Every structure is written in structure tokens, then in C-alpha cells.
Amino acid sequence: MKNFSDEKTKLLLALTNEINQPQNKKKLQQLINKVRSLQGHADFDRSFALLVREAVGLPHPLLTTLHEFERYFQDKTNWIQSPYLRQLANHLLEKSIPMTFYGRSWTKQTADWMYFDTVLDIESLQKQFQMGQQIQIHENRDAHSGTERGLVDTQTGEGIIGRLD
């Protein structure tokens, strides 16, 4: 798993090294400002994608670095620290199960959770992915706050959650 801060610093350095090119100065300054503003996955919005798409004319190695940074960090599974839950999330996405939400869905949550539009067969998934002791079953049956069932990593606080029924 790549470290966001390290990769952001490398990208800023690469962009700053190219800013002396007069034909690219405006594009590069916009990219530098946007990259500086990025704090996490939630900041990867349409405006960043548009700036990357408009970066035509920049040197090929820099364009490659920009595209790789964008592609890697826009993939929300790359933000999951728990190796068990990252593997499970990739499995669900490969099966084309829609992800309905990624983030902190309630105020006392300490880490991001990924919600999928499916009923998870928890016991089968635990066996299939040989999940460690830190992976616990989470279940909420309160119809007012939303029923759900999934797996939470007690070390990272992250969760993979599906529908209850």
C-alpha cells in the first residue's frame, strides 16, 4: 500500500521541477495548487480529474506520474489499511457488486467503511479469506438508522458492510 503523503510529496516535487517551462506554467501551477489541497480520498473530485485531462503538453514522464497517482488514489480499495478487508472489497468489486458508499457514515466511527448493495455471506467470506481474529461481525437491526451486516477490523476501525436482508 502506497503512502499518500509520500506520493503527494513526490508528485509536487515533479510538478515544481517542471514549472520553469513558460508554455506549461499556468497548467502546472493549477495542478500544484490542487495537489497541495488533497488531504485524502474524498478530495479526488471531478476538478482534479479535469486538470489531469487538460495536462496535455506536459512531458510524458510527468503525465505518466500524474495518471498513476490519480488512478491509484482514486481507487478507494487502496485506502483500506486492513489487508483482509482490502482483499474482500476487491473481491466484491470484481464480482461487479455495486459500492453504495465509502466514508464515515456515522459520527462516532473512527475509520472509513465501504458499503455494498448485497447481503454478505459472512461465515463463508470469513473462511474463504481466512480472516484474522481482529475481524469482527457488525450487525445493526435498527430500522431507523439503517439495517446492515458486515465485517469490521478492530485494529483499523474499517468495515465492509452489506444489507441485512
Side-chain angles (χ1 to χ4, degrees):
M1 184 166 126
K2 295 181 182 180
N3 180 289
F4 178 72
S5 284
D6 292 347
E7 296 301 316
K8 177 180 166 180
T9 300
K10 287 179 196 173
L11 180 57
L12 282 170
L13 182 61
L15 290 167
T16 304
N17 286 339
E18 287 294 326
I19 204 155
N20 294 329
Q21 304 300 320
Q23 73 273 18
N24 296 326
K25 193 169 188 117
K26 185 177 178 183
K27 286 180 199 175
L28 286 166
Q29 193 57 58
Q30 288 175 322
L31 282 164
I32 289 168
N33 292 341
K34 186 60 180 179
V35 171
R36 282 185 180 144
S37 75
L38 298 173
Q39 298 301 313
H41 65 82
D43 296 330
F44 281 87
D45 59 8
R46 186 172 158 82
S47 65
F48 183 76
L50 287 173
L51 283 174
V52 172
R53 300 303 169 267
E54 293 171 1
V56 177
L58 296 179
H60 181 70
L62 183 56
L63 278 174
T64 300
T65 302
L66 264 172
H67 287 292
E68 287 173 359
F69 180 84
E70 177 189 24
R71 196 171 21 257
Y72 184 85
F73 289 110
Q74 275 191 325
D75 180 350
K76 291 172 177 41
T77 61
N78 289 325
W79 289 89
I80 300 173
Q81 295 176 10
S82 169
Y84 300 108
L85 297 184
R86 186 177 330 110
Q87 185 180 16
L88 175 56
N90 281 318
H91 168 75
L92 296 171
L93 291 168
E94 285 171 8
K95 290 179 67 176
S96 299
I97 297 172
M99 179 182 21
T100 57
F101 179 79
Y102 181 83
R104 297 183 185 177
S105 59
W106 43 281
T107 55
K108 293 185 181 179
Q109 218 167 315
T110 60
D112 294 323
W113 284 15
M114 192 175 275
Y115 285 77
F116 288 89
D117 188 16
T118 190
V119 175
L120 298 173
D121 182 350
I122 300 294
E123 292 73 19
S124 173
L125 291 169
Q126 284 177 313
K127 288 178 187 171
Q128 181 180 351
F129 292 101
Q130 301 176 353
M131 298 198 175
Q133 293 288 337
Q134 75 265 26
I135 304 299
Q136 301 294 312
I137 296 173
H138 161 81
E139 191 170 295
N140 181 20
R141 293 184 171 273
D142 178 15
H144 292 288
S145 62
T147 59
E148 61 192 26
R149 187 165 192 250
L151 297 165
V152 174
D153 187 316
T154 58
Q155 289 180 0
T156 66
E158 297 164 317
I160 301 293
I161 309 296
R163 297 189 321 267
L164 184 59
D165 54 1

